[in-house]
Amino acid sequence: MKILFLFVDQLRSNLLNLYNDQVKERGFDRSIKNIGGTLFTNCHTPAPNTSRSFGCLWSGKYPSKNGCHIGYPGFDLKDDIDNLVSMFTDTGFSFNYLVSAHEEIVGLFPKDIKSEGIRRSYLSTQPEDALNKFIDDIKISDDSITFISLYDFYVAMNRYGYNYKALDTCYELLSGGYNIVVNRLNIENFDIVVTFSDHGYKLDHEKGFEPFYKHSNSDRSQIFLHIYQKGDNELKRNDKFCSILDIFPTLANLSDMVINNDIDGI
């Protein structure tokens, strides 16, 4: 089985036309619609920051159970719990990844992963060059996980500001990186493609009108989740409530792996 993860840091779903028809359609919206698959329109993270959200992703458990309850800058899943990456690599899957240098420091993955594969990080000033070089060099085997961070969006938001004017530039950069992957890797070669975010964000003008305790409402806790399976050719919407915790058991079940009953995802 060939699995591809495409990660977009802090992609806020309700500012996408895919989720909100009051927002104009951009290139990224059109690309997702053209590919098909399932768009999960009511998906959330119980821990809206990067390290804790990834802890939930890989373990299928809440931070109180998985050990990653401190947040930035640590990523410390408990050693004695199952995690999705190791479950696959322990059965012979190769593991390739491309992330930013900052993300590699924060730690997006469980520690001590032992498998074949190309693993690289890049500076935030050169994401497109790094992406093309990574695609040139990787060899995707039949049993493999490939993880690519499309870091352009996060970098652009911090560079141009958290405002409506900057969004067009940010989404243009995201669309460019996404289309490089879709076209050069040919996602139809993958059995499963999971495109997701870890949390959303607040625009600057929104922060001023809300007390701090509301900064973790749905603008931050709702995440983008789109899953493509080989053979999909039209976009379907799933409006049922779901969580980043559910990705663990979903992929395990699709791969016929046996999982423990104490996970929180379904």
Side-chain angles (χ1 to χ4, degrees):
M1 176 176 283
K2 298 178 182 178
I3 301 171
L4 174 63
F5 284 95
L6 299 177
F7 167 55
V8 186
D9 195 349
Q10 72 172 22
L11 182 62
R12 177 173 159 179
S13 55
N14 64 7
L15 291 181
L16 286 165
N17 174 264
L18 287 163
Y19 289 77
N20 180 0
D21 60 11
Q22 301 302 306
V23 177
K24 71 177 182 181
E25 186 181 64
R26 298 181 176 91
F28 181 70
D29 299 294
R30 289 189 289 271
S31 295
I32 294 292
K33 291 174 183 177
N34 290 336
I35 289 166
T38 303
L39 182 71
F40 294 85
T41 61
N42 193 17
C43 190
H44 298 260
T45 175
N49 66 19
T50 297
S51 56
R52 292 191 301 149
S53 201
F54 266 82
C56 295
L57 166 71
W58 297 132
S59 69
K61 298 181 179 182
Y62 288 112
S64 59
K65 292 183 180 179
N66 66 34
C68 188
H69 50 77
I70 302 300
Y72 181 87
F75 180 89
D76 296 306
L77 286 177
K78 293 179 180 178
D79 293 333
D80 59 347
I81 65 172
D82 292 333
N83 70 77
L84 192 63
V85 177
S86 294
M87 284 180 65
F88 279 105
T89 56
D90 287 349
T91 59
F93 274 63
S94 62
F95 183 48
N96 308 291
Y97 72 64
L98 177 70
V99 300
S100 74
H102 170 73
E103 290 169 330
E104 192 164 53
I105 293 171
V106 172
L108 297 187
F109 309 110
K111 296 179 292 185
D112 301 325
I113 297 171
K114 299 177 177 64
S115 73
E116 296 181 354
I118 294 177
R119 300 168 196 170
R120 291 183 183 163
S121 63
Y122 59 89
L123 298 175
S124 61
T125 55
Q126 55 184 22
E128 187 171 309
D129 291 342
L131 177 56
N132 278 305
K133 184 67 167 61
F134 179 74
I135 292 173
D136 286 341
D137 293 344
I138 60 173
K139 295 180 180 179
I140 299 172
S141 61
D142 287 338
D143 290 325
S144 63
I145 300 175
T146 301
F147 184 103
I148 297 175
S149 171
L150 298 174
Y151 200 57
D152 317 55
F153 185 82
Y154 177 84
V155 171
M157 289 299 294
N158 282 281
R159 182 178 299 162
Y160 300 112
Y162 286 75
N163 56 73
Y164 284 117
K165 186 176 180 180
L167 283 179
D168 284 341
T169 300
C170 298
Y171 282 118
E172 181 179 350
L173 290 169
L174 169 60
S175 180
Y178 183 79
N179 287 330
I180 287 174
V181 174
V182 168
N183 295 322
R184 293 207 56 206
L185 278 182
N186 187 5
I187 67 164
E188 293 180 358
N189 290 331
F190 290 88
D191 296 288
I192 302 172
V193 180
V194 179
T195 306
F196 73 104
S197 64
D198 52 347
H199 58 81
Y201 58 89
K202 289 285 188 181
L203 296 170
D204 287 335
H205 77 275
E206 294 172 323
K207 296 176 184 177
F209 289 99
E210 293 183 341
F212 182 77
Y213 69 87
K214 286 191 175 181
H215 287 187
S216 290
N217 67 9
S218 60
D219 294 337
R220 277 192 60 87
S221 64
Q222 186 174 5
I223 66 170
F224 178 88
L225 178 62
H226 171 256
I227 296 180
Y228 167 88
Q229 294 187 64
K230 183 177 287 189
D232 287 342
N233 51 31
E234 63 179 55
L235 186 66
K236 300 176 182 177
R237 297 175 184 274
N238 187 322
D239 300 328
K240 294 181 179 179
F241 179 85
C242 63
S243 166
I244 197 169
L245 296 160
D246 301 331
I247 295 175
F248 179 109
T250 298
L251 291 184
N253 289 335
L254 288 172
S255 306
D256 296 324
M257 289 188 173
V258 178
I259 58 177
N260 293 328
N261 294 325
D262 65 340
I263 65 170
D264 298 305
I266 57 175

